[in-house]
Amino acid sequence: MKCRKTVVACLFCTAPSVVFPTDGSADNPLVMLHVFDCGELSFPDISAFGLKNADTDVRRMFVPCYLIRHPRGDLLWDAGLDPAIAGKGVIDGGGFTMTYARSLLDQMDDMGLSPDDVDFMALSHMHFDHVDAATQFPKARLLIQAAEYEAAFLRPGDYGGVYDLEWYGNLAENPRQLLTGDHDVFGDGSVMIVSTPGHTPGHQALLVHLSNTGPVLLSGDLYHFRATRRLRAVPTFNSDANQTLASMDKVERLIEETGAALWIEHDRALAQALELAPAAYD
C-alpha cells in the first residue's frame, strides 16, 4: 500500500429557495441516511491543518462513508480508507497512523447490499481517505465537480502529492456527470450537492433533508475539527485559502437559512454519538 505522507504536508449570490420534502409520499419521498465506520486516522501533530497543537487536544479522526437511500436510487457519499487494510491493525501512513476494523463492503453485505446496488457516487473530494473504496463501485454514476475531475485525473501532479491516480484511476471508467456548482441529485430538493471549493479545487459538501431527523449537512473536509470551524483555520495543504474561507461563509449561511445540523465528517466525538449502519436516519 502506498504511503500517504504527502497528503498531510460558486457562492450563492442570493441563496435559492429550496422546498424540502417532509414525508414519505410519492411527491415527498422518504430519504434514509446510513453512516458507516470506514476507518480512523491518528495524528500526533495537527499543525498542517492550520491549527496550533494547543488549539485542541483531538488527535484521532473518524473516517466515514454514507449511503443515502432514495426511491430514485442509492447514493454513496465518500468511500473511506482502503478496504485492503481492514482488520490489519495499526498501519503506519508516514507521520500518521490508520486503522480500519471492517471494510465498507462487509458492512454493506450485512445489509444485503452489494456495490452493484449503488446507483450514484459522490465524493467530497479525491484525497485518499475519501476515495479508497470508490473503485469497488464500477457501475455507480460519479457526480464530480469539473474542477475536481481536472485536478485529480488530468493534472494530479500539480498539487503536491495530495492526488494519486493509483488510489482512484479506475474511476475514469465509471459513468460520470461533471458538475459546475450546486446540484440537486434527485431533482426534488431532498439531496443537494453544495459546491465548496478551497480544500481542493472541486470540493463539495452534501445537504440531506431527512423527514424526522431534519436537514443534515455533511461537511467533507471543509472542516476537519470543531476547532477548525471555531477558528476558521485553513490547512496548509488546501488548494486555495480564499476559496476555503468563502466556502465556510457559504456553508454557515446555508446552515442558518435551512436549520441544518452540521456533521463534521472527521469528528470522532460526533461519530461516537451516531448510530452506525445498519441503523438509519430518516
Side-chain angles (χ1 to χ4, degrees):
M1 184 190 64
K2 184 168 181 175
C3 175
R4 269 72 165 166
K5 63 183 178 181
T6 54
V7 171
V8 288
C10 169
L11 286 172
F12 293 144
C13 294
T14 301
S17 176
V18 178
V19 178
F20 291 107
T22 56
D23 57 46
S25 67
D27 291 332
N28 298 309
L30 179 63
V31 178
M32 295 189 297
L33 170 64
H34 298 277
V35 184
F36 296 91
D37 180 347
C38 289
E40 183 176 288
L41 305 174
S42 182
F43 294 85
D45 182 345
I46 59 168
S47 57
F49 293 93
L51 295 166
K52 300 181 180 67
N53 284 312
D55 288 333
T56 177
D57 60 1
V58 176
R59 297 292 182 271
R60 297 166 68 183
M61 298 168 61
F62 182 64
V63 178
C65 306
Y66 305 91
L67 184 68
I68 294 89
R69 313 205 70 184
H70 185 284
R72 296 178 188 168
D74 289 351
L75 167 70
L76 179 69
W77 174 261
D78 281 344
L81 296 178
D82 186 349
I85 72 170
K88 294 187 177 179
V90 178
I91 306 294
D92 183 4
F96 66 99
T97 59
M98 301 176 283
T99 57
Y100 196 176
R102 293 185 71 229
S103 79
L104 169 63
L105 303 183
D106 287 342
Q107 293 175 67
M108 288 179 58
D109 186 63
D110 291 344
M111 299 170 58
L113 296 173
S114 76
D116 287 350
D117 294 318
V118 175
D119 304 286
F120 303 94
M121 176 167 52
L123 307 168
S124 59
H125 60 298
M126 303 297 292
H127 289 173
F128 78 93
D129 54 320
H130 295 260
V131 305
D132 265 355
T135 57
Q136 304 298 314
F137 299 83
K139 295 184 179 180
R141 178 174 293 276
L142 181 64
L143 306 178
I144 183 171
Q145 299 292 328
E148 190 73 0
Y149 187 86
E150 179 181 352
F153 288 90
L154 305 182
R155 299 190 296 115
D158 292 353
Y159 293 91
V162 300
Y163 293 120
D164 193 323
L165 287 167
E166 181 179 323
W167 308 335
Y168 54 76
N170 289 349
L171 289 182
E173 305 302 319
N174 279 53
R176 66 178 176 268
Q177 182 174 353
L178 298 182
L179 310 178
T180 55
D182 305 318
H183 177 67
D184 186 345
V185 176
F186 298 108
D188 58 13
S190 62
V191 181
M192 300 288 297
I193 289 175
V194 183
S195 174
T196 52
H199 182 59
T200 63
H203 185 275
Q204 52 193 14
L206 192 72
L207 179 62
V208 183
H209 179 82
L210 301 169
S211 298
N212 294 312
T213 305
V216 171
L217 197 149
L218 305 177
S219 71
D221 278 4
L222 179 64
Y223 301 118
H224 291 87
F225 303 91
R226 297 184 190 189
T228 308
R229 185 184 187 192
R230 184 178 75 250
L231 299 172
R232 290 171 59 84
V234 178
T236 60
F237 51 91
N238 277 23
S239 63
D240 190 301
N242 289 331
Q243 282 189 337
T244 300
L245 294 171
S247 291
M248 289 178 180
D249 291 339
K250 174 179 180 175
V251 161
E252 295 300 336
R253 186 163 63 245
L254 187 59
I255 290 169
E256 182 177 354
E257 292 167 353
T258 63
L262 177 66
W263 287 8
I264 297 175
E265 292 191 20
H266 283 308
D267 186 345
R268 184 170 177 270
L270 169 66
Q272 290 177 319
L274 295 176
E275 294 186 70
L276 301 181
Y281 290 86
D282 63 14

